[in-house]
């Protein structure tokens, strides 16, 4: 069975006439002459061997078969649009750039693994990493457009388009030579209260830890609130107290320090976030797909 020699211009003319029920309006819509529209429809009817329109003084209406063919034509145009989008997407992925805003702990322990996967598929896209200390700085970078994507524990996730990437457990780091019964993985409140606490004072950690340690039956003493993760670990190594930190922020944990679970589990949720209603580049969407497939 040989296929008819149909032309896209003929189908466009038919759809335009069907929408306007008028040859002159269809001609204006497609920026062609009315005679051009008439010729396109007539040649299409001749090619198919069926009548597509009822013509009259009050305009043009589709026949029953014409209605069916218009539906097929609209499907064809949708597929053509998909073809163009695919080509444009491919052109955008042959280069371009994407900027990721995140915390140091994620930049150190998570992003390198993600970049290996991403570069294997998109070697020509440039990825830059911007490290921030506070969640508000990350959110501001997104709002201002200086970052395309953030990986962080958001203070206001409802302000962004986001999805969960992973969950990071808070752990307790105990000073060297601390005596804890063997095979114990989780501390009791009494054991935790026996140490001066060294806590991070970042916004994202404080929003989790402060409510967690308040109003406990056994009072917990906070000796230090420190910004830098490495400084916190150094204080623990010197025997100045026990620290509560997200596991990713604590890693790599020195051999002399023991890590334990908290009496009641506590974790932070790391989100992938973008600006809402923004026009993102193909490179940004490609990185998003890599993040969606990531398993930690």
């Amino acid at each position: 069975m040989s296929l008819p020699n149909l032309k896209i211009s003929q189908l466009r003319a038919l759809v335009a006439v069907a929408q306007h029920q008028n040859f002159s309006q269809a001609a204006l819509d497609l920026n062609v002459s009315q005679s051009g529209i008439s010729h396109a429809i007539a040649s299409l009817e001749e090619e198919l061997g069926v009548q597509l329109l009822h013509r009259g003084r009050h305009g043009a209406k589709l026949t029953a078969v014409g209605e069916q063919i218009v539906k097929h034509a609209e499907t064809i145009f949708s597929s053509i649009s998909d073809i163009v989008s695919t080509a444009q997407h491919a052109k955008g992925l042959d280069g371009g750039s994407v900027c990721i805003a995140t915390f140091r702990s994620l930049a150190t322990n998570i992003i390198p693994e993600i970049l290996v996967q991403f570069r294997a598929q998109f070697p020509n896209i440039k990825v830059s990493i911007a490290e921030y200390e506070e969640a508000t700085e990350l959110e501001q970078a997104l709002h201002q457009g200086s970052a395309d994507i953030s990986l962080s524990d958001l203070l206001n996730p409802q302000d962004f388009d986001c999805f969960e990437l992973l969950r990071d457990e808070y752990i307790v780091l105990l000073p060297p030579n601390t005596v804890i019964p063997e095979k114990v993985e989780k501390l009791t409140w009494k054991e935790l209260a026996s140490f001066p606490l060294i806590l991070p004072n970042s916004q994202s950690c404080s929003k989790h830890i402060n409510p967690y340690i308040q109003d406990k039956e056994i009072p917990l003493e906070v000796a230090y609130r420190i910004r830098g993760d490495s400084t916190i670990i150094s204080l623990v190594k010197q025997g100045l107290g026990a620290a509560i930190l997200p596991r990713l922020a604590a890693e790599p944990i020195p051999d002399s320090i023991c890590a334990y679970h908290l009496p009641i589990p506590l974790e932070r949720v790391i989100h992938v976030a973008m600006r809402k209603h923004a026009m993102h580049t193909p490179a940004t969407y490609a990185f998003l797909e890599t993040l969606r497939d990531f398993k930690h």
Side-chain angles (χ1 to χ4, degrees), residues 12 15-17 19-20 22-32 37:
R12 289 196 186 282
V15 171
V17 173
Q19 289 174 343
H20 297 287
N22 183 286
F23 277 63
S24 60
Q25 287 297 319
L28 289 173
D29 188 24
L30 296 180
N31 196 27
V32 296
I37 291 288

Side-chain angles (χ1 to χ4, degrees), residues 102-113 131 248 251-252:
T102 190
F103 297 139
R104 179 207 59 82
S105 58
L106 292 168
T108 301
N109 298 303
I110 296 297
I111 289 185
E113 186 178 350
E131 294 183 25
L248 288 175
E251 292 180 345

Side-chain angles (χ1 to χ4, degrees), residues 151-169:
L151 275 60
S152 65
D153 178 15
L154 294 170
L155 296 177
N156 302 292
Q158 68 278 2
D159 292 347
F160 304 96
D161 287 328
C162 60
F163 61 88
E164 181 179 319
L165 179 68
L166 57 89
R167 293 186 175 230
D168 189 16
E169 176 195 14

Side-chain angles (χ1 to χ4, degrees), residues 170-173 192 197-200 205 209 212-213 220 232 242-246 262 266:
Y170 281 86
I171 59 174
V172 182
L173 303 178
L192 184 59
L197 292 183
I198 306 168
L199 304 181
C205 287
I209 296 176
Y212 182 86
I213 65 174
L220 301 175
I232 291 174
I244 300 176
L245 274 177
L262 285 162
L266 178 67

Side-chain angles (χ1 to χ4, degrees), residues 44-83:
L44 181 59
E45 289 179 325
E46 182 179 355
E47 187 70 39
L48 294 175
V50 294
Q51 183 179 353
L52 301 174
L53 294 167
H54 293 299
R55 299 161 176 82
R57 289 186 301 172
H58 302 293
K61 292 185 179 181
L62 291 169
T63 62
V65 68
E67 291 178 352
Q68 296 178 49
I69 289 175
V70 164
K71 290 180 181 179
H72 291 308
E74 289 172 343
T75 300
I76 290 171
F77 295 146
S78 177
S79 296
I80 291 173
S81 177
D82 290 341
I83 290 171

